[in-house]
Amino acid sequence: LSPGAKMGCFTFIKVMMILFNLAIFLGGGTLLGVGIWVSLDGESFLDVFGALSSSVLQVVNVSYFLIVIGAILLVIGFLGCCGAQKESKCLLMMFFSVVLIIFIAEVAAAVVALVYTGLAETLLTAVVTPLLKEKYGMDDNFSRIWNVTMSEVHCCGLNNYTDFTDSPWYKNEGTYPAPCLVRGSLPFACPHLCGCLLQGCFDQILKEIKTNAGVVGGVAAGIAALEIAAMAVSMYLYCQLDQK
């Protein structure tokens, strides 16, 4: 390619890099704002997005998840946008490094999820179960998110109803949460118990993920492709700046 064509290609890719990372930055800011909204007023969030309550995200505290993801996207968008606009090799390398770390973490998480489902369940149990015993019945937002999730997914606790034993709710009410107690034709795990108690949410959500494995895999592959493209573009700009 002639020097003019190379410069034109460099400028085009630079502009695309700026626009792409500007979109990431704005998206990160939006997620961060929603995360803060959920942490401050979770009930209003559920009133608006109640139909999404069967999402895997609500197995954990969705506000913290959104805040963390939003902050990461803000950092990535800032590094990529400023690195390309200012033609800064340092910022471009930082952008490449952050995206590479995230990509490796996602691959590792996928391997754990696919190959070591039992380990994934153990890790979730170690984190979520203590939260249920500590906060359910005391933290209104946390309790409401779990109530909606259990009602939508038709499940009880992360593993089973015993996750709520010794929780503030159980100590005050002397029984398990209402979404755990079912009547009629819904499936239940312990028919010998009064009211019948549903199975844990982990197994239910795992079934939903397996049922929609194609969609989940497609989304994961799309995200991975975007990350690889972002790393390739940032490294291209970095190398072109080296030649300058």
Side-chain angles (χ1 to χ4, degrees):
L1 291 176
S2 65
K6 286 184 178 180
M7 182 56 68
C9 182
F10 175 84
T11 302
F12 174 77
I13 292 178
K14 173 183 169 180
V15 171
M16 290 297 101
M17 179 82 166
I18 292 172
L19 293 176
F20 177 71
N21 282 283
L22 181 61
I24 290 178
F25 183 84
L26 294 175
T30 301
L31 288 180
L32 183 62
V34 171
I36 294 172
W37 172 31
V38 175
S39 66
L40 296 177
D41 190 8
E43 292 192 9
S44 294
F45 177 82
L46 285 178
D47 288 340
V48 175
F49 296 102
L52 302 178
S53 58
S54 61
S55 168
V56 177
L57 299 183
Q58 288 182 326
V59 173
V60 295
N61 192 318
V62 70
S63 62
Y64 295 152
F65 182 86
L66 291 176
I67 288 172
V68 170
I69 296 299
I72 291 173
L73 290 179
L74 276 175
V75 171
I76 292 175
F78 174 80
L79 291 174
C81 195
C82 290
Q85 197 275 327
K86 295 180 179 297
E87 298 187 1
S88 168
K89 292 172 63 178
C90 178
L91 290 177
L92 286 172
M93 183 52 69
M94 288 175 66
F95 172 86
F96 177 87
S97 301
V98 171
V99 176
L100 179 61
I101 291 170
I102 293 172
F103 179 76
I104 292 173
E106 288 172 349
V107 171
V111 170
V112 169
L114 292 173
V115 182
Y116 303 106
T117 305
L119 177 59
E121 182 176 8
T122 301
L123 292 174
L124 268 176
T125 301
V127 174
V128 178
T129 304
L131 283 176
L132 286 173
K133 293 185 181 295
E134 176 186 344
K135 299 176 70 174
Y136 188 87
M138 180 183 297
D139 186 320
D140 290 339
N141 287 341
F142 181 83
S143 302
R144 181 175 167 84
I145 287 173
W146 264 94
N147 285 339
V148 177
T149 300
M150 292 188 293
S151 296
E152 291 289 332
V153 184
H154 304 305
C155 58
C156 179
L158 183 68
N159 300 294
N160 53 49
Y161 66 94
T162 60
D163 290 344
F164 296 103
T165 304
D166 298 327
S167 67
W169 172 272
Y170 188 84
K171 290 176 181 177
N172 292 332
E173 303 293 331
T175 185
Y176 295 99
C180 292
L181 307 173
V182 297
R183 294 172 179 83
S185 60
L186 290 174
F188 48 84
C190 308
H192 61 285
L193 291 171
C194 179
C196 304
L197 292 139
L198 290 164
Q199 59 193 331
C201 292
F202 182 85
D203 290 336
Q204 290 290 84
I205 291 173
L206 196 60
K207 287 179 184 176
E208 288 192 14
I209 292 175
K210 288 180 178 179
T211 302
N212 299 284
V215 175
V216 174
V219 171
I223 293 173
L226 283 176
E227 290 170 341
I228 292 171
M231 288 189 288
V233 169
S234 64
M235 190 51 60
Y236 168 81
L237 293 176
Y238 182 90
C239 293
Q240 289 300 310
L241 290 175
D242 254 348
Q243 293 180 11
K244 281 188 174 184

